[in-house]
Amino acid sequence: MLMQSARPLVELENTSEFIARHIGIEAADEQHMLSVIGEASRRALIESIVPRSIARTNPMQLPPAATEAAALAELKAIASKNQLFKSFIGQGYHGTHTPGVILRNVLENPAWYTAYTPYQAEISQGRMEALVNFQTMVCDLTGMPIANASMLDEATAAAEAMTLAKRSVKNKSNTFVVAGDCHPQTIEVIQTRAKPLGIDVLLANSHDEWTKALEGEYFAVLAQYPSTSGRIDDLRADVEKAHAKGAAFAVAADLLALTLLVPPGEFGADIVVGTTQRFGMPMGAGGPHAAYMACRDDFKRSMPGRLVGVSVDSHGKPAYRLALQTREQHIRREKATSNICTAQVLPAVVASMYAVYHGPQGLKRIAQRIASYTAILAKGLEQLGFNARRDSAFDTISLKTDAQTQSIAARARSMGVNLRVYWGDFICISLDETTTRDDIALLWKIFATEGQLLPSFDAFEKGIEPMIPVELRRTSAFLTHPVFNTHHSETGMLRYIRALSDKDLALDRSMIPLGSCTMKLNATSEMIPITWPEFANVHPFAPRDQQQGYAQLDEQLRAWLCQATGYAGISLQPNAGSQGEYAGLLAIKAFHESKGQGHRNVCLIPSSAHGTNPASAQMVGMQVVVTACDANGNVDLADLQAKCEQHSDKLAAVMITYPSTHGVFEMQVKELCALVHQHGGRVYVDGANMNALVGIAAPGEFGGDVSHLNLHKTFCIPHGGGGPGVGPVCVVEDLVPFLPGHEAGGITGHAVGAVSAAPLGNAAVLPISWMYCRMMGAEGLQQATEVAILSANYISARLKDHYPTLYASANGHVAHECILDLRALKDTSGVMAEDVAKRLIDYGFHAPTLSFPVPNTLMVEPTESETLDELDRFIGAMIAIREEIRCIERGEWPQDDNPLKNAPHTAGALMKADWPHPYSREAGAAGLGDMRHAKYWAPVGRVDNVYGDRNLFCSCVPMSTYE
């Protein structure tokens, strides 16, 4: 007989345990929040906000929620299907050793991976110092004067170099010359990017074709250095030819090789791009890795991506800030230099720390070892009867193997080794940091015939001359700044990493209420698998039968995301939200062309849209036509109808964000979609706000044709301080054939080419979203959406008497975020939204989104992960700041000298003997009375943005500056 206290096994097994770990609001909290909002239940709240015409009628068909342990075990079984061969493929991806101190304290540390893009400079000084180290590293190694704070991958960086050159040179040609010995994936992405822009890519596949091309007309040239087959070309004369024609010369360069080779900047290159993957980031089946771009000084104001510069704070001390192109898409929209609004900050930090840890001598030693092993390998193969095709090489040799090519490659695979077959009758072998003597002996064995005597290392013990031409050997110094010559012990490195992370605010310290950014929990169980060797050590161009684990992960995650969105097909290739937008618009463009309607090129975009929307439309050759919004922030349907009728014959698409960027569910979205379809256009629903839709409404069901998702928002991939991200592109059935292909990765027959360097884009972080979906199940995902909406409405209701919500539905409710209207404060107190944002730092918070989409407002998105206690702490800080503003309004503090105008307050400023302000030091410190929460001290005062742009400096600060 069972005891009355016995509980059912299903209850004890608690397979949905993770839902309560992810969602911060408990049942009692929910009832309190609903009472504040004025709704009886969460279901009633949702039904009063989400239009019934778009509400889902069928739940998502997903596996039931699994425990953390069960999900990890299931994913481990999937990962084990990946076969870990020793890959000597190269092609821009190499084995590397991530130093343990960097692996544990950066890549696996939430203080680094849960931070946001450093728009708020004062609470981002640590990661911006790491990014300035990255920029300095790139400048030093390439010999260029300026570099940005990372790009998405080498292939897209090369495509951006093409468009940067087009914008920057006076030559009016539309031809871009590309060396055929560039990496194949780079060539493919360039071709994809060039086509809609009307740029002709001239591929030179031989020396004669290259020579002939340089004699012709073109606006820019791209060469690989060393080439994909390993050759090291002397490009100096070619650069002079290009410059004589008023054209730019771009070089895709291997940074590790540049420790030994003459850097491109020393032979006149205008733009240099590449990847930093081999600086400590595992291959991860293609990403994420930080690419780089460096350029000549007079190109800097047209350079895409993020650039960290040095300015001064309010105390005259050096301080870092994002410079020049910061948020340019929101300002310049379709005239932006690029649609890139993020980068690969976390991998860039890893790469910069790798350089700090090893220093110039350590990097050079690694490079010299690789170069020596390459020369030894070539000598041994020569003894076996295989001669390297060229005399020059750094880490890669190519062998003309003719009819033996496939049999040698097959023999290698039978021995657990991947070689690269190139041009059908060549084999390329690339060595890297992880290569050992045993690896070289194994390679010799692969090429040896039965009974043939194998070469020996004995003859090379005293060293070997590398295969680098004498005239191309580097003589200039690099990485001379003290930061690269100080922290070489693990103790020193550990403390340097900790010192930087202590300067910053990330989710491990407090809520980050950024609207349109969805800074939710990045659970530890979700993060654990990304460094498993079965995921981390896979080469993206390894044979597909060795990547069955990734294939299953890809298939399952795409199926689950289709359930969440209502779409028929998805590609996970785009490695950022901006790239997902771009791929989606390419799909629409290719669809129209397939119907003989390539003239359809008008893209309607509401004035409230995210700035990347018009920038992406411009990149695919569309003409942007802006449509109005009404007084309530909704798309003005009358204006939209007029524009549809005006451009009916040329209408390609409309781009909307839903819920809108104004934080409301627009009631007539189905009518909007029908109107555009009626005029032959397709509907692009930006997935930036998908965290308000999962489980309750699906874009593919209410009229959307295309969406991109941000897995780094809705599906828990961390923001990493500004990347990595994943931007899957989702489409309805008739657009599936127009999803991006990837010839180099074996994805053939698609109308649209590659948009990322690797077939699966940032494959190594996909396990994070897989784990999130697997542990939450359909019920948990829907609950997360509903609680995110609940929390936003709670904040809006609590703050309405202090800061009115600018846009709301007829019943006063909002979606998953709310815009707090601070515009009236300027007249009553002189206080601007920026002042409130900086004052929040004193209270220990990252500011909400500042002045977007409406100037002088704050957009707040709490997400479902925050506890009621943290929501109330934020609300309390906002109310306390409003009381401070009332003191200014009453004349108790002057408008130009008060806690808001002087925020943030550093500990050093508050401890000075002289205190000239009309408020107390205690008032300046803010929040010291609340001892339940550790006080965060900003490391710098308010940063001077104008000074930073007028005095642009983007490398490591000389130590004398701090003296």
Side-chain angles (χ1 to χ4, degrees):
M1 180 176 176
L2 291 174
M3 298 175 58
Q4 284 189 337
S5 61
R7 299 166 68 182
L9 286 180
V10 68
E11 185 179 322
L12 296 174
E13 289 162 345
N14 193 21
T15 57
S16 61
E17 64 176 14
F18 179 74
I19 297 174
R21 307 289 188 194
H22 176 82
I23 297 174
I25 302 301
E26 299 180 358
D29 302 332
E30 185 174 306
Q31 290 306 308
H32 165 69
M33 295 164 73
L34 288 167
S35 68
V36 171
I37 297 167
E39 292 287 354
S41 67
R42 191 174 79 225
R43 172 50 42 196
L45 174 67
I46 298 303
E47 290 183 352
S48 72
I49 294 172
V50 181
R52 292 301 85 201
S53 62
I54 69 167
R56 294 187 75 129
T57 54
N58 298 311
M60 298 178 289
Q61 298 300 307
L62 300 176
T67 65
E68 295 177 62
L72 283 168
E74 186 177 331
L75 187 57
K76 189 71 171 179
I78 293 173
S80 68
K81 296 179 181 179
N82 290 326
Q83 300 177 52
L84 292 183
F85 281 34
K86 184 73 178 182
S87 286
F88 298 95
I89 297 170
Q91 204 171 322
Y93 298 92
H94 302 271
T96 182
H97 293 305
T98 310
V101 66
I102 298 174
L103 176 71
R104 177 61 59 87
N105 297 289
V106 177
L107 192 57
E108 298 177 341
N109 184 351
W112 289 95
Y113 66 70
T114 68
Y116 188 64
T117 304
Y119 292 136
Q120 293 293 326
E122 295 81 5
I123 51 88
S124 310
Q125 291 295 298
R127 62 187 176 280
M128 283 203 283
E129 179 172 329
L131 290 174
V132 165
N133 293 346
F134 177 89
Q135 292 173 179
T136 303
M137 171 189 81
V138 171
C139 287
D140 280 11
L141 290 173
T142 61
M144 302 298 287
I146 194 163
N148 68 13
S150 79
M151 301 290 283
L152 299 173
D153 58 41
E154 180 171 337
T156 55
E160 294 285 350
M162 173 181 69
T163 52
L164 170 60
K166 184 65 174 167
R167 291 190 299 272
S168 303
V169 301
K170 295 180 180 179
N171 188 302
K172 299 303 180 184
S173 171
N174 272 333
T175 298
F176 184 54
V177 176
V178 178
D181 215 4
C182 289
H183 295 317
Q185 68 273 18
T186 298
I187 295 171
E188 190 175 347
V189 170
I190 286 172
Q191 290 170 330
T192 301
R193 187 72 65 89
K195 182 181 176 182
L197 297 175
I199 294 174
D200 299 317
V201 177
L202 177 58
L203 203 57
N205 285 319
S206 68
H207 176 73
D208 289 344
E209 289 182 10
W210 175 255
T211 302
K212 182 179 178 181
L214 292 185
E215 298 299 330
E217 288 299 320
Y218 47 87
F219 69 86
V221 177
L222 175 69
Q224 194 92 36
Y225 182 70
S227 73
T228 192
S229 62
R231 191 182 66 253
I232 304 173
D233 292 322
D234 187 341
L235 298 171
R236 287 173 287 195
D238 297 335
V239 171
E240 290 180 4
K241 287 181 183 178
H243 287 169
K245 290 182 175 292
F249 201 101
V251 177
D254 183 322
L255 277 192
L256 190 59
L258 295 184
T259 63
L260 305 181
L261 300 180
V262 172
E266 292 183 12
F267 56 72
D270 301 291
I271 306 168
V272 187
V273 297
T275 178
T276 63
Q277 178 268 314
R278 65 193 313 174
F279 278 41
M281 275 300 290
M283 290 182 288
H289 310 128
Y292 70 86
M293 175 181 282
C295 67
R296 55 192 288 181
D297 190 69
D298 50 348
F299 286 5
K300 65 189 178 188
R301 294 185 184 272
S302 291
M303 185 166 56
R306 295 288 170 257
L307 184 68
V308 178
V310 181
S311 185
V312 295
D313 73 354
S314 54
H315 311 294
K317 301 293 185 182
Y320 301 107
R321 60 179 284 276
L322 287 181
L324 296 183
Q325 285 83 0
T326 299
R327 300 181 72 192
E328 70 149 359
Q329 293 84 9
H330 298 304
I331 300 167
R332 301 187 67 209
R333 300 173 73 81
E334 70 273 12
K335 296 180 181 178
T337 59
S338 168
N339 72 341
I340 295 175
C341 64
T342 185
Q344 298 278 28
V345 167
L346 187 64
V349 170
V350 169
S352 75
M353 292 299 184
Y354 182 92
V356 168
Y357 186 64
H358 286 294
Q361 295 307 314
L363 291 180
K364 193 170 184 178
R365 185 183 303 112
I366 293 168
Q368 288 173 329
R369 182 174 73 244
I370 293 170
S372 295
Y373 279 174
T374 302
I376 291 169
L377 173 65
K379 287 288 187 184
L381 290 173
E382 187 179 323
Q383 293 177 33
L384 296 172
F386 294 90
N387 293 317
R389 188 183 177 205
R390 293 281 187 272
D391 293 332
S392 64
F394 163 60
D395 64 354
T396 301
I397 58 173
S398 57
L399 310 166
K400 197 167 192 308
T401 45
D402 296 323
Q404 301 179 71
T405 302
Q406 294 302 329
S407 62
I408 292 172
R411 175 175 163 82
R413 288 193 297 273
S414 72
M415 299 170 72
V417 169
N418 289 323
L419 304 178
R420 179 183 173 198
V421 175
Y422 187 52
W423 288 107
D425 52 1
F426 286 90
I427 283 181
C428 295
I429 307 171
S430 291
L431 307 186
D432 56 47
E433 179 189 7
T434 69
T435 302
T436 65
R437 294 186 180 201
D438 288 344
D439 292 329
I440 293 172
L442 178 59
L443 288 167
W444 285 334
K445 186 177 180 181
I446 290 168
F447 283 85
T449 57
E450 189 71 31
Q452 191 174 14
L453 182 65
L454 293 179
S456 166
F457 268 86
D458 294 344
F460 310 114
E461 289 297 342
K462 293 185 178 180
I464 185 173
E465 190 71 10
M467 298 170 68
I468 298 172
V470 174
E471 66 275 14
L472 293 178
R473 294 184 186 180
R474 182 169 192 147
T475 58
S476 55
F478 56 90
L479 302 186
T480 57
H481 190 276
V483 74
F484 299 109
N485 295 277
T486 304
H487 311 291
H488 297 160
S489 73
E490 181 157 337
T491 300
M493 190 68 191
L494 178 67
R495 290 174 181 164
Y496 179 65
I497 293 171
R498 175 62 187 267
L500 294 192
S501 65
D502 277 352
K503 294 180 179 182
D504 290 3
L505 264 182
L507 279 175
D508 64 327
R509 285 185 189 261
S510 71
M511 168 186 178
I512 300 181
L514 283 159
S516 196
C517 299
T518 315
M519 299 295 292
K520 59 165 58 175
L521 171 71
N522 315 120
T524 305
S525 290
E526 294 160 3
M527 299 299 296
I528 286 172
I530 69 170
T531 51
W532 287 348
E534 297 93 335
F535 285 134
N537 295 339
V538 175
H539 194 288
F541 301 118
R544 298 180 80 171
D545 62 0
Q546 295 173 23
Q547 301 189 53
Q548 291 305 302
Y550 267 117
Q552 183 175 344
L553 176 73
D554 172 48
E555 181 182 1
Q556 289 185 346
L557 185 55
R558 284 189 293 109
W560 297 347
L561 295 177
C562 281
Q563 286 292 315
T565 60
Y567 286 110
I570 291 178
S571 169
L572 300 176
Q573 186 184 137
N575 53 12
S578 59
Q579 303 309 292
E581 274 186 25
Y582 174 68
L585 290 172
L586 283 177
I588 291 173
K589 183 179 180 68
F591 167 81
H592 287 311
E593 290 172 348
S594 74
K595 300 296 184 183
Q597 296 185 332
H599 62 278
R600 288 188 175 272
N601 68 341
V602 170
C603 185
L604 303 180
I605 302 180
S607 59
S608 64
H610 193 280
T612 58
N613 291 172
S616 296
Q618 177 272 329
M619 286 175 61
V620 300
M622 290 186 182
Q623 175 191 346
V624 174
V625 174
V626 178
T627 66
C629 291
D630 63 23
N632 296 317
N634 301 315
V635 174
D636 186 328
L637 278 186
D639 185 60
L640 180 70
Q641 181 171 353
K643 297 287 174 57
C644 282
E645 292 172 354
Q646 179 185 351
H647 301 286
S648 185
D649 291 343
K650 293 186 176 181
L651 183 60
V654 66
M655 297 185 80
I656 63 169
T657 301
Y658 199 80
S660 76
T661 311
H662 289 147
V664 293
F665 280 90
E666 299 185 34
M667 304 306 290
Q668 295 179 294
V669 66
K670 288 194 76 170
E671 290 80 357
L672 182 155
C673 296
L675 174 62
V676 173
H677 289 154
Q678 179 185 335
H679 288 274
R682 307 307 293 257
V683 177
Y684 189 108
V685 181
D686 188 316
N689 292 338
M690 194 68 197
N691 211 52
L693 292 177
V694 177
I696 63 175
E701 293 180 357
F702 62 66
D705 296 302
V706 183
S707 291
H708 82 273
L709 303 176
N710 294 299
L711 297 192
H712 47 289
K713 293 183 182 181
T714 312
F715 294 93
C716 290
I717 290 175
H719 284 71
V726 178
V729 56
C730 319
V731 296
V732 292
E733 188 70 43
D734 65 343
L735 293 180
V736 170
F738 305 100
L739 289 170
H742 202 292
E743 295 279 344
I747 305 173
T748 60
H750 286 237
V752 174
V755 296
S756 299
L760 259 183
N762 285 340
V765 294
L766 296 177
I768 299 169
S769 296
W770 187 98
M771 284 289 294
Y772 175 61
C773 293
R774 190 67 188 88
M775 293 188 294
M776 293 290 280
E779 178 186 346
L781 292 175
Q782 180 172 339
Q783 185 179 338
T785 300
E786 293 177 354
V787 171
I789 294 172
L790 170 70
S791 294
N793 280 276
Y794 176 69
I795 288 177
S796 176
R798 285 285 313 274
L799 290 178
K800 66 181 180 182
D801 294 333
H802 306 278
Y803 310 92
T805 294
L806 181 56
Y807 296 115
S809 56
N811 58 12
H813 294 332
V814 297
H816 65 311
E817 58 193 5
C818 57
I819 298 176
L820 304 180
D821 190 358
L822 280 64
R823 293 175 296 177
L825 299 178
K826 178 182 178 181
D827 292 333
T828 63
S829 64
V831 169
M832 305 292 286
E834 183 180 16
D835 300 320
V836 176
K838 302 307 181 186
R839 184 58 171 157
L840 275 168
I841 296 172
D842 288 330
Y843 284 88
F845 286 102
H846 191 299
T849 299
L850 174 63
S851 290
F852 176 81
V854 180
N856 211 21
T857 63
L858 294 175
M859 182 161 59
V860 182
E861 182 184 356
T863 84
E864 70 276 11
S865 297
E866 297 301 336
T867 63
L868 178 60
D869 180 66
E870 185 72 350
L871 297 180
D872 283 340
R873 192 171 74 89
F874 171 75
I875 291 165
M878 289 295 291
I879 292 173
I881 292 170
R882 185 64 183 92
E883 290 303 320
E884 293 171 349
I885 295 171
R886 291 188 177 103
C887 289
I888 302 170
E889 291 171 333
R890 292 192 296 267
E892 297 173 23
W893 294 328
Q895 291 193 3
D896 61 350
D897 189 5
N898 55 69
L900 285 92
K901 290 295 181 183
N902 296 326
H905 296 76
T906 65
L910 290 169
M911 292 173 64
K912 282 185 177 179
D914 179 37
W915 182 255
H917 305 295
Y919 55 94
S920 69
R921 298 174 196 266
E922 290 78 9
L928 281 180
D930 182 8
M931 300 309 294
R932 294 172 301 164
H933 201 276
K935 169 69 178 173
Y936 169 77
W937 293 100
V940 296
R942 193 175 304 193
V943 179
D944 189 331
N945 291 322
V946 175
Y947 179 94
D949 274 349
R950 288 179 177 171
N951 303 273
L952 190 64
F953 185 83
C954 301
S955 296
C956 291
V957 180
M959 298 306 294
S960 59
T961 307
Y962 296 97
E963 294 174 357

